[in-house]
Amino acid sequence: DSEKTVVYGRGELQIGILVEQMRREGFELVLSPPRILTKKCPDTGREVEPFEEVVVDVDAEYSGTVVNALTGARKGVLVEMSDDNDGKTRLVFEVPSRGLLGFGP
């Protein structure tokens, strides 16, 4: 159909900027829910999906809440955890991109 266009982007902010610019230029559009793009690994033939490195700096008392939020159903893996002298904790995760959809404050 000549009325449809598939647009690929990386992240909600990138797509949000594109949509806002198109609306300002007078386009009318409808968005579908986001989907994660997968590829077939040429070596194994298995479907692979993108992963993101997520770095969170948080007060030490809230680090357990953040770990639970990213490792449970979102399937993230805690890679590194370090404390500093100011009572902050730096958490580094590897999370599948699909696990970050809809995640926010």
Side-chain angles (χ1 to χ4, degrees), residues 28-89:
E28 293 182 19
L29 43 118
V30 176
L31 299 174
S32 65
R35 293 182 300 155
I36 298 298
L37 302 175
T38 59
K39 294 182 179 179
K40 283 203 182 240
C41 177
D43 298 330
T44 63
R46 295 176 52 191
E47 289 275 323
V48 293
E49 64 178 305
F51 274 73
E52 309 292 338
E53 180 182 65
V54 179
V55 179
V56 181
D57 292 320
V58 66
D59 291 333
E61 62 191 83
Y62 300 112
S63 61
T65 304
V66 174
V67 169
N68 287 337
L70 286 172
T71 58
R74 297 188 182 272
K75 304 204 186 298
V77 175
L78 181 62
V79 176
E80 181 182 334
M81 180 176 180
S82 59
D83 293 322
D84 66 8
N85 295 334
D86 297 334
K88 299 280 188 186
T89 301

